[in-house]
Amino acid sequence: MLGKKKESYPCPEADGSSPQVRHFDASPSYCLEDNATYEAIMETNHGTMRFELFPERAPITVNSFVFLARYHYFDGINFHRIIPGFVVQGGDPTGSGAGGPGYKFRDELPNAGEYQRGSLAMANAGPNTNGSQFFIISGPSGVSLPPLYSLFGQLKDGDDVITSLDSEGTPGGNPKQACTITSVVVIQESRK
């Protein structure tokens, strides 16, 4: 006997007033608006980074990231994996590298050669296993990654923060000290 299909989890309030949720028993509803631009302001204990998000190129990925950010999912989570010159990775509330939001979604892959320093992309455990873990490319080793990770944003401001976070990394990926995401706030503006 087949189980009933789960409904989509409702969209959070765009003004950030929704309570923090760290586990979802269904995939997110589609919450992005047409003809809107999205930016993410990521506050960390090393400073503030501002990212332009790419809803036209990666609508499912951006929708999930915005959904999680507006439910304050990322607030207080550490970057659990930092490899100098490669990536700064976070989005796992367990800090183990195996945690996620309770749902997975399909890849929206870039073309080869599109990653650059400051690119925001999804970490995964293989094809179509995206959840909440993301990484920021911090150097040449990350730029040269094959196009197997959904690219959904690019740093606009805060390159010094990437440098600072990158300096806390180790070859094995375990940060030298806690590098924490204080909050992620999404700014949405209508296109004129």
Side-chain angles (χ1 to χ4, degrees):
M1 185 170 160
L2 295 174
K4 183 180 175 193
K5 185 180 184 306
K6 292 181 181 175
E7 298 295 321
S8 295
Y9 205 91
C11 293
E13 297 297 328
D15 65 5
S17 64
S18 295
Q20 186 176 57
V21 180
R22 285 263 175 86
H23 182 79
F24 301 89
D25 55 7
S27 296
S29 296
Y30 192 77
C31 305
L32 301 182
E33 291 185 12
D34 293 338
N35 297 316
T37 61
Y38 292 86
E39 290 187 349
I41 300 170
M42 188 177 296
E43 298 279 351
T44 77
N45 64 341
H46 284 251
T48 304
M49 294 177 283
R50 187 180 193 104
F51 296 90
E52 175 187 2
L53 303 180
F54 302 150
E56 291 86 10
R57 292 174 55 181
I60 297 168
T61 309
V62 171
N63 182 69
S64 177
F65 188 82
V66 168
F67 172 88
L68 292 172
R70 287 180 171 166
Y71 272 119
H72 306 282
Y73 181 92
F74 301 113
D75 299 4
I77 292 178
N78 288 336
F79 290 105
H80 64 275
R81 181 176 181 239
I82 302 175
I83 300 175
F86 183 43
V87 297
V88 176
Q89 184 172 328
D92 175 4
T94 72
S96 68
Y103 64 84
K104 293 180 181 171
F105 59 93
R106 70 176 173 83
D107 294 329
E108 295 174 302
L109 302 177
N111 295 315
E114 287 192 66
Y115 299 127
Q116 56 186 300
R117 179 177 163 94
S119 288
L120 192 59
M122 292 303 295
N124 63 48
N128 304 310
T129 60
N130 302 288
S132 59
Q133 291 190 48
F134 64 88
F135 61 85
I136 304 160
I137 291 178
S138 61
S141 297
V143 169
S144 65
L145 277 168
L148 301 174
Y149 308 94
S150 298
L151 174 62
F152 68 99
Q154 180 62 41
L155 185 76
K156 288 181 68 176
D157 189 42
D159 190 69
D160 58 323
V161 180
I162 291 180
T163 299
S164 180
L165 289 166
D166 191 64
S167 72
E168 295 295 338
T170 63
N174 294 320
K176 296 173 192 169
Q177 61 179 339
C179 297
T180 307
I181 301 167
T182 310
S183 66
V184 178
V185 174
V186 174
I187 306 298
Q188 174 181 329
E189 293 186 357
S190 296
R191 284 200 180 95
K192 295 189 169 68

